[in-house]
Amino acid sequence: QLIESGGGLAQAGGSLTLSCQYSSGTFRSFAMGWFRQAPGKEREFVAAVRWNGAKSWYSDSVKGRFTISIDDAKNTVYLRMDKLKPEDTAVYYCNAGWPQYSTKWYMQIEHNDWGQGTQVTVSS
């Protein structure tokens, strides 16, 4: 089970921190990730972090602005979003899987079960 929270309305240049609570022992994959889906667009990879927090991956569109972290003792993964832009507006989801690289980073999902997501709206 995945429960995302922390979304809301922010101004451009502002910050938000998202949280995702996951069920312990549910996943066998390599990392937890954040994804987002804007209206009329496909869901896209945002960031991922290894379960032990030792390595992280970011899409080019958020690198340097967003920071992913994990607290496995609390079964929670976070996404700190700074310097927000209107194009960051989307519903944000979390899920587990394996980071992969082709022409860009993406994530192979372990279970195609998604939470309800949390809405992030950035005004200009």
Side-chain angles (χ1 to χ4, degrees), residues 29-94:
S29 52
F30 194 71
M32 279 294 291
W34 282 96
F35 306 78
R36 66 187 182 187
Q37 187 168 19
K41 295 188 177 181
E42 292 186 353
R43 187 176 289 151
E44 65 174 359
F45 169 78
V46 174
V49 62
R50 279 188 67 174
W51 291 105
N52 64 5
K55 185 172 176 61
S56 56
W57 300 262
Y58 296 92
S59 68
D60 287 343
S61 62
V62 306
K63 194 171 185 178
R65 300 189 298 121
F66 291 9
T67 304
I68 190 171
S69 59
I70 190 166
D71 187 340
D72 204 37
K74 296 183 178 180
N75 296 339
T76 303
V77 60
Y78 303 96
L79 186 68
R80 168 76 179 186
M81 306 185 295
D82 296 313
K83 302 177 182 178
L84 283 163
K85 302 177 180 180
E87 50 263 43
D88 295 321
T89 295
V91 179
Y92 284 70
Y93 303 88
C94 61

Side-chain angles (χ1 to χ4, degrees), residues 103-117:
T103 58
K104 60 182 179 179
W105 284 107
Y106 65 99
M107 199 157 171
Q108 180 181 349
I109 299 301
E110 179 176 354
H111 299 296
N112 194 26
D113 293 325
W114 298 84
Q116 292 186 337

